[in-house]
Amino acid sequence: MNVRPLPSRRKKDQSMRVDPAYEAHMRRAMDLARLASEREPQDVPVGAVLLDAAGKEIASGANVRELHNDPAGHAELVAMRGAARMREDWHLDGCTLVVTLEPCPMCAGAIAQSRLRRVVFGAWDDKAGAAGSVVDLLRDRRLPHRVEVVGGVLEQECAEQLRAFFAGRRT
């Protein structure tokens, strides 16, 4: 999976080629997001899939914040916890996280601390994104570990899933 990361601050590179496998994994993450929202209608539909270095899914997750009354129940953290249990190691180096929404600062901190190699996300989060929208924690040169970021994979579909959820909450 050879992809050139987006430059910092959300500049889009129109020449970037996204590995088709990322799109397939993103669709799986979108399915997890939908299921989470069906299971607990108050949970924001965000799904995540964690891949090993060979690109094989080793863990997945969806938001469970409302379901479990857990402030850290974000899809990214659920998937990372599952992968760490499966590997019996919190170091997730070489792994890729595919998530439907740009990670927040809490998730970005956990991503960097676990040494993930790459984050692939769908929709940008202009309110709390920590991979280039609001801040860019994942590629901050002051940190000892920087994460490759691929943003905007199936962006419109991921954003529409979230828009539909919030539109339903407003009515």
Side-chain angles (χ1 to χ4, degrees):
M1 293 187 203
N2 218 356
V3 178
R4 195 167 36 127
L6 292 175
S8 184
R9 304 304 306 152
R10 194 179 167 176
K11 295 175 188 166
K12 294 186 182 180
D13 180 352
Q14 299 302 325
S15 66
M16 185 178 81
R17 298 278 188 256
V18 175
D19 188 321
Y22 290 155
E23 291 184 359
H25 291 298
M26 187 64 74
R27 290 192 192 290
R28 163 95 167 104
M30 290 175 67
D31 287 342
L32 291 166
R34 181 184 47 77
L35 292 172
S37 163
E38 290 172 359
R39 180 186 61 232
E40 171 50 63
Q42 298 304 309
D43 267 321
V44 177
V46 177
V49 175
L50 208 136
L51 312 173
D52 66 12
K56 178 183 169 227
E57 181 179 327
I58 58 172
S60 63
N63 273 356
V64 294
R65 210 164 57 162
E66 298 294 333
L67 181 67
H68 294 161
N69 295 310
D70 178 2
H74 289 200
E76 299 95 315
L77 298 180
V78 173
M80 290 168 58
R81 286 178 186 137
R85 276 192 303 273
M86 192 275 303
R87 289 173 66 144
E88 297 181 346
D89 190 356
W90 63 268
H91 288 97
L92 300 176
D93 32 355
C95 292
T96 296
L97 180 70
V98 179
V99 61
T100 58
L101 180 65
E102 179 182 3
C104 71
M106 174 180 66
C107 293
I111 288 164
Q113 289 298 314
S114 68
R115 313 290 196 274
L116 278 170
R117 177 178 174 207
R118 178 183 304 117
V119 171
V120 177
F121 68 86
W124 295 90
D125 185 350
D126 291 327
K127 293 182 181 174
S133 286
V134 178
V135 294
D136 196 354
L137 293 177
L138 295 176
R139 295 173 287 190
D140 190 316
R141 295 202 182 281
R142 296 170 291 187
L143 298 178
H145 178 76
R146 282 176 290 289
V147 180
E148 180 182 338
V149 175
V150 179
V153 175
L154 299 182
E155 178 179 2
Q156 295 305 317
E157 293 172 52
C158 291
E160 183 51 41
Q161 190 175 43
L162 290 159
R163 272 194 293 275
F165 168 78
F166 287 111
R169 294 203 56 189
R170 288 186 202 105
T171 56

